Amino acid sequence: MSEETDRHIPTIPRRMTRLWLLIILIVYLILAIGYGAVNPIFEAPDENHHYFTAHLIKTSRQLPIARQLTGDLIRQEAAQPPLYYVIAALILTPLNSAGAEDFLFSNPAVQLGAADALANINAFVHTTAESWPWQEAGLAVHLLRLYSTVLGLGTLICIFGSGSLVWPQAPERALLATAMIAFLPQFNFLHGSISNDALIIFLAAAALWQLLYFWVKGVTYSRLILLGLTIGLAILSKTAGLILLIYAIGFLLVVAWRDTLPADRTKLIKSSLQLAVVPAI
């Protein structure tokens, strides 16, 4: 964007930036918590499997073994990286999370995914046992939904931080980027349900924020260690974290190439090849 165009973009006073960010985050919380409150239990995609994986870890005090689980309560989630579920199990520890199987009465007439359906849109039959005030397993489900909501809050803060690095003189752009994500219905719906996607999204947003910091302000060893920790946690959250690792390595190589003198770039290439080849050997 040209300097002439930038002159016509209104700039929010810096003292108001935090206030607007707070407003965006509060509205997001209202929307995401609202989705979590009104959506019937286990109607979000795979929500029941995510819940019972966390419940199993809580009750058995060990991680699930995929080849030993053939039932319908957990299914493919038994093979997922465990970080989201371990944290969820810790959240469930003080609660009575048993009895959630009672919410799994399948609706035999369901028209799942039919946009023109006027009835039978839920996969399960729901009763007043799910109504407010939530108790026991119902309370546990909504508490884990709130866990996802908090992770979404962290994602939005990371997006704002990234925007502030990209546009340090235009805070309204960082606010706009944050608001565009905060008010996406699918973002609110996802973060109002039980899903390990919420954790990988947060950690990926945090890693991208750190990478942008390296691009703008340079690489430091302490922040590089923090980035490694973030990506490691992402890998423990979902296998997609491995893609984040590959992306980060490529990004850091580009930063190193940019900051290296032309005479030293041959050494950089050799070092990079050694880094890639030695682990493979």
Side-chain angles (χ1 to χ4, degrees):
M1 187 174 290
S2 66
E3 293 182 4
E4 183 178 355
T5 305
D6 282 344
R7 294 194 196 104
H8 298 286
I9 297 177
T11 300
I12 298 175
R14 291 189 179 277
R15 64 180 181 274
M16 295 294 294
T17 301
R18 291 185 179 180
L19 175 60
W20 279 109
L21 176 62
L22 181 61
I23 292 173
I24 291 171
L25 296 179
I26 290 174
V27 174
Y28 155 75
L29 286 174
I30 293 173
L31 293 172
I33 292 173
Y35 270 100
V38 303
N39 190 27
I41 286 178
F42 297 150
E43 289 298 338
D46 294 330
E47 186 175 45
N48 51 321
H49 305 314
H50 292 301
Y51 176 86
F52 285 108
T53 302
H55 175 70
L56 175 67
I57 294 174
K58 172 201 165 183
T59 55
S60 67
R61 298 183 181 274
Q62 63 183 15
L63 299 179
I65 301 175
R67 66 176 180 270
Q68 295 180 359
L69 297 171
T70 58
D72 291 334
L73 290 181
I74 296 178
R75 290 188 179 179
Q76 74 278 2
E77 308 308 338
Q80 293 269 23
L83 182 58
Y84 176 86
Y85 304 108
V86 170
I87 298 174
L90 291 174
I91 294 173
L92 293 178
T93 298
L95 301 177
N96 178 10
S97 57
E101 294 91 340
D102 296 338
F103 299 140
L104 296 178
F105 186 80
S106 297
N107 179 6
V110 63
Q111 302 181 64
L112 200 62
D116 58 343
L118 300 179
N120 290 310
I121 59 175
N122 289 326
F124 301 104
V125 176
H126 300 280
T127 68
T128 55
E130 301 179 22
S131 302
W132 177 266
W134 304 311
Q135 297 179 4
E136 298 181 346
L139 178 61
V141 169
H142 285 282
L143 190 60
L144 291 189
R145 286 180 172 182
L146 185 60
Y147 163 40
S148 294
T149 300
V150 173
L151 291 172
L153 189 68
T155 297
L156 295 176
I157 292 172
C158 291
I159 291 172
F160 177 78
S162 297
S164 299
L165 285 172
V166 176
W167 302 295
Q169 303 302 322
E172 71 279 354
R173 294 181 181 178
L175 289 171
L176 178 60
T178 306
M180 288 178 66
I181 303 301
F183 303 149
L184 280 175
Q186 187 63 29
F187 185 83
N188 296 320
F189 175 78
L190 172 66
H191 289 88
S193 64
I194 305 173
S195 173
N196 60 348
D197 289 332
L199 183 56
I200 185 65
I201 291 171
F202 164 61
L203 291 170
L208 292 176
W209 185 8
Q210 293 170 71
L211 289 172
L212 283 171
Y213 182 93
F214 293 150
W215 182 265
V216 174
K217 299 189 177 183
V219 179
T220 63
Y221 286 110
S222 59
R223 289 186 176 272
L224 200 57
I225 292 173
L226 179 61
L227 174 64
L229 177 61
T230 303
I231 295 175
L233 292 175
I235 295 172
L236 288 173
S237 302
K238 206 162 186 178
T239 50
L242 291 169
I243 300 175
L244 182 61
L245 174 62
I246 297 171
Y247 177 85
I249 292 173
F251 189 97
L252 290 171
L253 287 175
V254 172
V255 173
W257 180 273
R258 182 198 64 180
D259 296 341
T260 302
L261 295 174
D264 296 329
R265 286 178 177 172
T266 301
K267 294 181 181 179
L268 175 64
I269 294 174
K270 290 181 179 179
S271 299
S272 301
L273 289 174
Q274 291 174 353
L275 184 66
V277 172
V278 171
I281 296 176

